[in-house]
Amino acid sequence: MFRIDPVKVGVADSRLMAEIVAARPVLSSERSVYKPAAGSDIPHDSATRTIRALGRDAMAGIRKPPPPARGMAGSWPYAGTSYLRRWLFSADPLPVSLLSKRGVTRSDTLSRLVDRAVTRWPGSAGQDGCTALAGLIRGADDPVERKQAIAMYRRATATLCDGVAALTGNALWLMGPERDRPENRADLTAVLWETLRLLPPAWMLYRNGGAAYTLLHPEIRPEDDVALFPLLMHRHPDYWSDPLEFRPERWDGVADPEKAPAFMPFGFDGARCWAKHLVVPLAERLLTVALDNRLVVRSPQQEAQVPLRSLLSVRFAAQVGT
């Protein structure tokens, strides 16, 4: 455990992390997707419907042919995010499809305008070609439920596409110049698990302070917020041999990587990523498309300042090969 600033501590020890996560349930304000929307908490049944709808949309999307590969060129992970959104959610007609556009989501003004438009003209619930997530908006019974469905559509699509693009970009960078060799493509699932170890997109979990943690460590005070760092735990020599080496073969024969000691790619029980069952299959599909089209990594950024609440993603320029 280490102190980050006067009111924030960091934790990288596997046992202490588990104790902190188990000390109390996750607060709604600590969740990125299921935090309150439209002035109200997200009901559990609404969250469950969103997860199921997103799962159907993601699996249906990756069964479709991918968009033209030229869409993968540009600055990563942003190009990967836009490519995924186009692949998975472009079937939704206007104005719903604008909810997943990165150019819209980055502007508060545009986001508010699109939200109002979707609230007024969501289309019919049974409209052909729309995603299951869009159907939740159109099937909402009242304005508050519709506003929450709009917020969930935007958050769910952004969180999934941002996370998958970050994981795929990190894997491309870690594979290095040898990524095109056939032997290095033999087990892309192992490549992604090793990427989740070295460069986990969800590299930090944040917990608001409180008395629940003070008995777990003498240096944690009630006013201290707590940051849990899988990134550091995944690189600790007490838990891993050659911890800084990219070695996908370390996952050979591992039936359930999530049960590996000191490995937290998607969080702990009770606080696991809601989309964890989608992330690796989607990233493997996106990584396959990138390799099939000989995506060339240019000018990777070797040093960057990563905000505490940001995804950990390697940034680079990419070109589609010939």
Side-chain angles (χ1 to χ4, degrees):
M1 198 211 77
F2 52 95
R3 181 157 294 279
I4 299 172
D5 61 35
V7 291
K8 194 181 291 94
V9 296
V11 177
D13 176 74
S14 176
R15 179 192 57 80
L16 184 55
M17 275 190 185
E19 291 177 348
I20 288 172
V21 171
R24 64 162 174 79
V26 179
L27 303 177
S28 59
S29 60
E30 295 169 336
R31 298 183 183 274
S32 60
V33 176
Y34 300 125
K35 61 186 178 183
S40 303
D41 288 338
I42 301 295
H44 182 267
D45 59 342
S46 176
T48 301
R49 286 196 301 270
T50 300
I51 293 172
R52 290 174 177 171
L54 184 67
R56 293 196 299 272
D57 292 339
M59 292 300 101
I62 63 174
R63 287 194 292 267
K64 297 187 301 185
R70 62 179 179 273
M72 306 183 81
S75 298
W76 274 69
Y78 311 118
T81 296
S82 297
Y83 186 84
L84 267 176
R85 290 180 175 182
R86 186 162 59 254
W87 192 352
L88 302 180
F89 303 106
S90 63
D92 287 330
L94 293 171
V96 175
S97 62
L98 294 177
L99 292 170
S100 66
K101 299 293 185 182
R102 186 171 177 270
V104 172
T105 59
R106 295 183 68 190
S107 168
D108 291 340
T109 301
L110 286 177
S111 294
R112 287 194 295 269
L113 290 173
V114 171
D115 286 0
R116 291 173 186 169
V118 176
T119 301
R120 294 184 179 182
W121 303 291
S124 60
Q127 189 168 347
D128 292 337
C130 73
T131 62
L133 277 177
L136 295 180
I137 298 173
R138 291 161 179 158
D141 294 328
D142 58 69
V144 172
E145 183 180 342
R146 179 163 293 157
K147 288 179 180 178
Q148 288 196 331
I150 290 170
M152 296 290 279
Y153 183 107
R154 175 176 282 120
R155 294 175 189 174
T157 56
T159 301
L160 179 66
C161 294
D162 288 350
V164 171
L167 175 57
T168 305
N170 292 351
L172 286 166
W173 187 74
L174 285 169
M175 292 175 78
E178 305 299 313
R179 66 180 68 87
D180 290 329
R181 290 176 175 248
E183 60 269 26
N184 293 333
R185 297 186 56 179
D187 191 350
L188 292 182
T189 303
V191 166
L192 291 170
W193 285 117
E194 181 69 346
T195 300
L196 284 165
R197 185 187 70 84
L198 273 176
L199 291 172
W203 67 290
M204 186 275 305
L205 301 177
Y206 205 74
R207 295 291 180 268
N208 295 329
Y213 306 136
T214 56
L215 297 179
L216 303 180
H217 194 283
E219 295 184 33
I220 300 180
R221 304 168 306 187
E223 64 269 25
D224 285 334
D225 291 336
V226 179
L228 310 177
F229 289 96
L231 174 71
L232 302 182
M233 182 177 69
H234 291 179
R235 294 163 174 247
H236 201 291
D238 285 356
Y239 307 130
W240 304 90
S241 60
D242 301 320
L244 300 183
E245 296 295 322
F246 178 65
R247 291 173 44 197
E249 64 273 11
R250 75 172 78 236
W251 300 101
D252 291 347
V254 179
D256 189 351
E258 287 190 80
K259 292 184 178 179
F263 186 50
M264 194 176 67
F266 300 112
F268 282 106
D269 288 338
R272 290 193 185 275
C273 172
W274 51 272
K276 75 182 190 71
H277 63 292
L278 303 174
V279 171
V280 172
L282 279 171
E284 185 170 354
R285 186 78 170 94
L286 183 60
L287 184 57
T288 299
V289 174
L291 294 174
D292 285 348
N293 288 278
R294 301 176 62 84
L295 193 73
V296 178
V297 174
R298 302 287 188 193
S299 305
Q301 187 174 351
Q302 298 291 333
E303 296 183 4
Q305 182 137 359
V306 183
L308 273 183
R309 292 188 179 274
S310 175
L311 287 173
L312 181 63
S313 54
V314 176
R315 299 182 181 187
F316 55 83
Q319 294 177 338
V320 177
T322 57

